Amino acid sequence: MKHLFFYVFALFSLESMAQNPDFKGKKLHLYLLVGQSNMAGRGKVEESDRTPHPRIWMLNKDNQWVPAVAPMHFDKPEAGVGPGLEFARVMAEADTSVIIGLVPAAVGGSAIDSWQPGGYHDQTKSYPYDDALRRAKAALPAGKLKGILWHQGESDSKPALVGSYTQKLEALIKRFRKELSARKVPFVVGTLGDFFVNRIPEAKDINEQLRQLPKKVKHTACVEAAGLAEKGDKTHFDAPAARELGRRYAEAMRKLGD
């Protein structure tokens, strides 16, 4: 009975917080999470991932601010632990004067072609770019956009697509910055996992293009996924790897923000 009371109390508290988040007079730093399944997260959710941090919030499916817990994304039923929550924890601890607001908008299986105006993703019956832009604009009245995190490329690791990846990514960054009135907002990408590159030859080319991005586009950075483990499907990071990737994103984002 004691455990049941605590569970009900926790649910009531989270619901109350979601309805009445008090951001007035506080610095809310917004971060947009975009890409495909490894940004959305497919790692196993553990108790620590369900424990809210008092200064980390997320925009839920209904565009309401709620305490950030995993799974944050809702693209597919298998959404789990991704890099976003650990990223936010590092950023929150690095500056205790701010509140972190996450805007989850990644879509599993989405190719970069669906990340343009009107782009449609059949697996999820959604419009990844349009939806992400709409959610980001819904979040902006509460705070300031401080960064965009991108992890994507598995779906473009194909002979017919890999050659145009950089061009499309540069266009994507330019569109986001223009539409969100954030010309210099930091944009951090991450390389694809070793386990994926080892079985898909074109993924190596995608990674090289991601690594070259900072030389081509200002205020961008690329974090390495080298050495991170997969969950057993040769495609997705496991939960510990996703958290480590989040820490790497945070380190790169902090350097861009200095």
Side-chain angles (χ1 to χ4, degrees):
M1 178 64 77
K2 182 178 179 180
H3 293 297
L4 178 60
F5 173 79
F6 177 79
Y7 178 71
V8 172
F9 176 78
L11 284 180
F12 177 78
S13 298
L14 289 177
E15 182 177 357
S16 299
M17 292 169 73
Q19 293 174 349
N20 300 291
D22 182 15
F23 298 143
K24 189 175 182 180
K26 299 177 181 178
K27 290 190 293 183
L28 181 65
H29 287 184
L30 302 174
Y31 292 96
L32 179 62
L33 312 178
V34 283
Q36 56 182 113
S37 56
N38 273 315
M39 179 56 73
R42 297 295 185 256
K44 182 180 179 181
V45 178
E46 299 178 358
E47 192 59 35
S48 62
D49 305 303
R50 301 187 185 96
T51 305
H53 185 290
R55 289 185 294 107
I56 303 176
W57 293 71
M58 67 180 185
L59 202 68
N60 70 8
K61 186 177 182 179
D62 298 316
N63 287 351
Q64 297 173 320
W65 286 110
V66 299
V69 294
M72 293 192 299
H73 281 81
F74 44 84
D75 57 315
K76 294 183 178 181
E78 57 267 33
V81 174
L85 189 56
E86 189 66 20
F87 163 85
R89 286 172 175 162
V90 174
M91 299 301 287
E93 293 310 310
D95 186 348
T96 58
S97 71
V98 304
I99 297 174
I100 304 298
L102 299 174
V103 184
V107 181
S110 58
I112 200 168
D113 280 341
S114 65
W115 287 90
Q116 59 181 317
Y120 182 70
H121 182 46
D122 186 64
Q123 288 183 21
T124 54
K125 311 300 181 187
S126 66
Y127 296 84
Y129 176 78
D130 294 338
D131 293 342
L133 192 62
R134 172 179 51 81
R135 285 173 55 74
K137 288 183 176 180
L140 279 172
K144 181 178 181 180
L145 184 64
K146 299 293 285 187
I148 300 175
L149 281 64
W150 172 261
H151 197 284
Q152 191 276 342
E154 291 91 346
S155 290
D156 287 88
S157 297
K158 301 173 182 177
L161 299 176
V162 67
S164 58
Y165 189 79
T166 293
Q167 179 183 357
K168 293 174 181 177
L169 182 57
E170 289 180 7
L172 170 70
I173 296 170
K174 185 176 181 179
R175 279 197 306 271
F176 266 133
R177 287 175 168 172
K178 180 180 179 180
E179 291 291 339
L180 298 174
S181 300
R183 186 168 56 91
K184 296 182 180 180
V185 68
F187 194 102
V188 181
V189 305
T191 61
L192 311 183
D194 297 338
F195 45 84
F196 190 78
V197 174
N198 289 340
R199 70 181 182 87
I200 306 293
E202 290 78 17
K204 182 178 180 181
D205 195 345
I206 293 289
N207 274 359
E208 287 306 311
Q209 293 182 61
L210 290 167
R211 292 184 182 112
Q212 293 301 311
L213 181 68
K215 298 179 181 179
K216 299 174 179 293
V217 181
K218 293 181 178 179
H219 311 297
T220 66
C222 178
V223 301
E224 290 289 338
L228 299 182
E230 47 101 8
K231 62 177 289 185
D233 60 3
K234 307 294 184 184
T235 300
H236 299 106
F237 299 108
D238 64 13
R243 296 187 195 101
E244 172 58 26
L245 187 59
R247 289 188 282 271
R248 296 179 186 183
Y249 269 98
E251 180 180 1
M253 186 66 72
R254 289 186 65 201
K255 289 181 179 177
L256 284 177
D258 289 343

